[in-house]
Amino acid sequence: DLEQVTKRLREALGPEYEVHTWRAIQPFYSDVIAIQRFLIGLISFVLYAIVLTGIANTMLMSVYERVREIGTLLAVGLRRRQILALFLLEAAVLGVLGAAMGAAVGRGIVALLAWKGIPLRVGGGAIDTILRPQVEPAYLAAVAMLAVAGAVISAAYPAHKASQMNPVDALRAT
């Protein structure tokens, strides 16, 4: 609410006082923040790709370890789309549990940092600043939904592979 606060301060103090924002005084910091956001976004994307690859690998190994089970389910009449749905549901449940645990741990770390504070010393500044980070619930919910969607999408290929098995061949597998 920087602009709104600045406007209200200017109105309250009148023309005999000057009110400037940090963006007007130090535009360099806006550039630093933009670069940090870009780098954090890039690192997040790379980590997200690594996690999705790990989920796909885990689900694929799960399919290969349960070949006989899948063959039995197909032999007793389960349809291929039900096998597909079973593996996608498994991935969704794992995604929800992982997202919930990750959100709880992440929120706890941010709460600890907010309680303790992060000292910020600006070169040449007379006053040290204490940062108190916070996480918006909407952001947390969006990231959790992204994690669940990623888990389901990365499990799509292994689930498809499981649903396309031949029941006779699957039952013969050792």
Side-chain angles (χ1 to χ4, degrees):
D1 301 333
L2 183 64
E3 298 304 324
Q4 292 175 353
V5 171
T6 304
K7 181 181 175 186
R8 281 189 266 152
L9 274 173
R10 283 184 183 135
E11 290 170 357
L13 295 174
E16 60 268 8
Y17 291 96
E18 290 184 21
V19 178
H20 300 284
T21 66
W22 64 269
R23 287 185 181 135
I25 295 171
Q26 294 289 342
F28 168 75
Y29 290 123
S30 294
D31 295 337
V32 170
I33 290 170
I35 291 169
Q36 285 180 342
R37 284 189 177 154
F38 172 76
L39 290 175
I40 289 172
L42 182 64
I43 291 168
S44 297
F45 175 76
V46 169
L47 287 174
Y48 190 66
I50 291 169
V51 168
L52 293 185
T53 303
I55 291 170
N57 183 42
T58 303
M59 292 301 293
L60 199 54
M61 290 297 104
S62 176
V63 167
Y64 287 136
E65 289 173 357
R66 297 175 6 196
V67 168
R68 295 190 86 179
E69 175 187 333
I70 295 166
T72 304
L73 291 172
L74 288 168
V76 296
L78 218 60
R79 293 200 161 85
R80 294 186 186 283
R81 71 175 181 273
Q82 291 172 312
I83 298 288
L84 180 75
L86 182 70
F87 278 93
L88 291 177
L89 181 64
E90 180 180 335
V93 168
L94 290 173
V96 166
L97 292 174
M101 290 188 316
V105 169
R107 190 159 176 118
I109 290 170
V110 169
L112 177 67
L113 289 172
W115 174 71
K116 201 166 174 151
I118 303 169
L120 179 66
R121 290 169 182 53
V122 180
I127 300 173
D128 289 341
T129 303
I130 303 290
L131 296 179
R132 304 214 181 266
Q134 61 183 1
V135 177
E136 297 294 324
Y139 176 77
L140 203 57
V143 170
M145 287 191 300
L146 184 66
V148 173
V152 172
I153 290 168
S154 65
Y157 175 71
H160 175 72
K161 194 107 167 120
S163 70
Q164 296 305 311
M165 286 185 181
N166 183 348
V168 175
D169 293 337
L171 288 171
R172 278 192 205 141
T174 55

